[in-house]
Amino acid sequence: MTTIKTSCPVCGDVELTPEQMRLVVCSKSDWSYYSFNCGTCRDEVRKPADEEVVSLLTSGGVRAERWVIPAEALEDHTGIAITYDDVLDFALGLDRVDLLAAMIIPRVEA
Ligand SMILES: [Zn+2]
């Protein structure tokens, strides 16, 4: 059985089986990570996983979960952030669009 040695920031060295580890490989490689629940302190420990770590863990039997970041999430955004009021105004505006659409669409007479 494969044993993977890593460390918990609180408890120190930890030995895990591949099934006890979670490996998330992101399309943006800087965001890839592995995590596990420490058997001593029960905390979830999460650490970055570069290509070498991903290779080591997968060769050790850890199943990789693929995570694709939508391109829109990586776009640069400028301007002020939207507020809850903006979202509420948008939702209220959608109601007005429905009313306008109802006026435009001809009624089907039965
Ligand atoms: Zn721990």
Side-chain angles (χ1 to χ4, degrees):
M1 180 173 77
T2 303
T3 300
I4 298 166
K5 295 180 182 179
T6 184
S7 64
C8 168
V10 176
C11 307
D13 292 341
V14 180
E15 292 188 1
L16 302 162
T17 64
E19 293 77 25
Q20 292 174 305
M21 300 196 74
R22 180 177 183 210
L23 173 62
V24 178
V25 179
C26 183
S27 55
K28 181 174 169 53
S29 60
D30 292 352
W31 294 8
S32 297
Y33 66 89
Y34 70 92
S35 65
F36 59 92
N37 290 318
C38 176
T40 304
C41 70
R42 303 287 180 203
D43 275 354
E44 182 193 39
V45 178
R46 184 180 288 200
K47 296 184 173 187
D50 62 17
E51 285 184 29
E52 184 180 350
V53 170
V54 169
S55 177
L56 284 170
L57 291 177
T58 54
S59 69
V62 178
R63 190 178 61 84
E65 299 171 31
R66 302 289 169 186
W67 176 29
V68 177
I69 301 288
E72 307 84 61
L74 301 174
E75 293 174 350
D76 286 330
H77 298 277
T78 59
I80 58 172
I82 62 171
T83 66
Y84 289 114
D85 286 340
D86 295 331
V87 175
L88 185 56
D89 288 344
F90 177 75
L92 293 172
L94 289 176
D95 279 347
R96 287 191 297 269
V97 169
D98 286 345
L99 292 173
L100 181 61
M103 289 188 298
I104 294 171
I105 297 173
R107 289 186 176 182
V108 177
E109 301 296 328

